[in-house]
Amino acid sequence: AQSVTQLDSQVPVFEEAPVELRCNYSSSVSVYLFWYVQYPNQGLQLLLKYLSGSTLVESINGFEAEFNKSQTSFHLRKPSVHISDTAEYFCAVSPYGGSQGNLIFGKGTKLSVKP
Amino acid sequence: ETGVTQSPTHLIKTRGQQVTLRCSSQSGHNTVSWYQQALGQGPQFIFQYYREEENGRGNFPPRFSGLQFPNYSSELNVNALELDDSALYLCASIQGAHDTEAFFGQGTRLTVV
């Protein structure tokens, strides 16, 4: 079985400051790792994913996440945030090679970017 | 825009009633999953359908059931509604059972009173 822990429920930050949203997971098998973003009153959108290969993955809007197998972590970072990044962010895992429809999500981190 | 649409967007039901939520997946996506997202929580997996057959289920009672149709649409049915069923219900469309990206709809907000 897998589980995901997002260590911060809320992260307030000022515009143009760096941010890190933390995610740790537990699994007895290898997993794929994902970050999804949810804007108010919307569904989830995939931000980035780690499947294999390079442990650093990047999104098109400046976010990056690094897979750390020894620490079972997949923290999300952005060097300079914008007001438009205000949203809730969910870390998720799914078993390697298994069905990708069964995602295990953390409880989410609400990122609030202030001017 | 994910190409996945859900209806209705909001719904209010009375405890004990039955409800049907609908999802229209992307064309060609033969896998659909349903999730329940309670307030302040992450989404929880309810079940998955692949080519019109249920092929995975989370920790939800049998009063949660589903259907998937050949035209890439699907339904989530919940019988004997309870107050704790109040949540955002999300469907996710996947091209194949093992594809690595799920496309989510905007969700249906169900309130049980």
Side-chain angles (χ1 to χ4, degrees):
Chain A
Q2 294 84 40
S3 67
V4 176
T5 302
Q6 291 185 242
L7 298 161
D8 306 293
S9 59
Q10 297 190 51
V11 173
V13 64
F14 286 106
E15 194 174 18
E16 297 183 5
V19 70
E20 178 180 80
L21 307 184
R22 297 179 292 170
C23 172
N24 286 91
Y25 70 93
S26 172
S27 177
S28 57
V29 299
S30 296
V31 293
Y32 296 135
L33 294 147
F34 305 84
W35 275 99
Y36 281 84
V37 59
Q38 186 174 38
Y39 297 100
N41 301 314
Q42 294 189 26
L44 300 169
Q45 299 175 32
L46 179 66
L47 191 59
L48 45 75
K49 60 185 177 184
Y50 172 78
L51 306 179
S52 64
S54 172
T55 57
L56 184 66
V57 290
E58 299 176 352
S59 73
I60 58 173
N61 57 354
F63 283 94
E64 64 178 31
E66 185 159 20
F67 169 54
N68 188 318
K69 188 174 183 179
S70 63
Q71 297 186 7
T72 60
S73 68
F74 191 54
H75 300 333
L76 181 70
R77 302 183 182 96
K78 189 170 186 180
S80 176
V81 294
H82 302 289
I83 298 287
S84 59
D85 293 324
T86 295
E88 190 157 18
Y89 293 79
F90 292 93
C91 182
V93 302
S94 66
Y96 182 86
S99 170
Q100 302 312 304
N102 182 358
L103 293 163
I104 310 300
F105 286 90
K107 291 187 175 182
T109 297
K110 288 185 179 177
L111 175 64
S112 176
V113 181
K114 304 176 187 302
Chain B
E1 181 62 48
T2 63
V4 179
T5 56
Q6 293 185 241
S7 62
T9 55
H10 296 83
L11 198 55
I12 300 175
K13 287 287 191 178
T14 303
R15 188 172 51 184
Q17 284 188 315
Q18 178 267 342
V19 70
T20 297
L21 310 182
R22 294 180 172 83
C23 173
S24 178
S25 299
Q26 286 194 22
S27 179
H29 285 201
N30 53 27
T31 301
V32 65
S33 296
W34 285 89
Y35 293 82
Q36 180 194 68
Q37 185 179 11
L39 203 60
Q41 302 293 318
Q44 283 199 307
F45 174 72
I46 303 174
F47 46 56
Q48 175 178 291
Y49 278 77
Y50 173 67
R51 291 186 174 175
E52 302 163 46
E53 297 283 336
E54 183 180 304
N55 76 337
R57 190 174 185 93
N59 189 25
F60 281 81
R63 60 190 184 83
F64 285 79
S65 63
L67 287 171
Q68 186 186 25
F69 303 101
N71 65 351
Y72 306 110
S73 66
S74 60
E75 291 180 354
L76 165 65
N77 299 290
V78 187
N79 293 321
L81 283 166
E82 301 176 359
L83 297 180
D84 285 349
D85 295 333
S86 295
L88 181 68
Y89 289 85
L90 297 163
C91 74
S93 161
I94 306 166
Q95 186 167 11
H98 299 281
D99 195 69
T100 58
E101 182 166 355
F103 295 85
F104 283 83
Q106 82 285 3
T108 294
R109 173 75 61 188
L110 173 65
T111 302
V112 183
V113 297

